[in-house]
Amino acid sequence: MNRIHVAGGVGVAPTEMAAYDAALADANLHNYNLVRVSSIVPAGAAVERVDRAPDLGPAGNRLTVVESRITAPPGASDDPLVAGLGWATGPGPGLFYEATGRDPTAVRRELEDGLDAGSELRDWALPDREFEVTTARPEDGAWTTVVTVAVYGESEPVL
């Protein structure tokens, strides 16, 4: 597990869960069972931003992820939906922080503030910072979900 892929997706569908599934499909993560973890980047892991996640194993396997997700119901304000991840790395372990909202600038600021606070809390020097922010306007008459997901390594069998 040396590589962490970061991908975003947008989904529009007639139900909340179907919109989430469609957003995962947009990121090529819809055929896995996602297991969310908090926010630590293991030492030595390479974080790579991708348009869509590569094939990470058979359908039904488990993937370890850090996920940022926001959903709007039909008829919601047309303000953008924003789901972002920020990560900070250095010579040892690093951090992910996730944030969501309706204002891309505010989400980016929250990610920066979270990485600053997390680095200070742990007393870790994490000079390398990157961000992935996925944004979409809600579709009228349908559920809309926006995700940004960091996927740790390859999938593993559930059973």
Side-chain angles (χ1 to χ4, degrees), residues 9-126:
V10 177
V12 177
T15 69
E16 183 175 8
M17 187 55 72
Y20 175 56
D21 196 27
L24 292 176
D26 194 35
N28 196 33
L29 297 169
H30 57 304
N31 289 328
Y32 301 102
N33 290 298
L34 306 184
V35 178
R36 292 180 68 170
V37 295
S38 57
S39 59
I40 302 301
V41 176
V47 182
E48 177 183 356
R49 187 181 290 113
V50 295
D51 290 332
R52 290 174 48 91
D55 179 8
L56 297 169
N61 271 5
R62 172 181 51 238
L63 281 176
T64 302
V65 303
V66 173
E67 178 185 65
S68 178
R69 170 176 60 168
I70 186 169
T71 300
S77 139
D78 74 341
D79 291 338
L81 298 171
V82 185
L85 291 177
W87 57 98
T89 56
L95 295 174
F96 272 109
Y97 264 72
E98 60 266 18
T100 61
R102 302 301 290 261
D103 176 354
T105 302
V107 167
R108 171 68 183 251
R109 188 175 323 109
E110 186 176 339
L111 292 170
E112 291 171 354
D113 291 347
L115 290 173
D116 288 344
S119 299
E120 184 177 322
L121 176 71
R122 291 165 177 81
D123 197 24
W124 291 352
L126 300 172

Side-chain angles (χ1 to χ4, degrees), residues 22 117 158:
V158 172

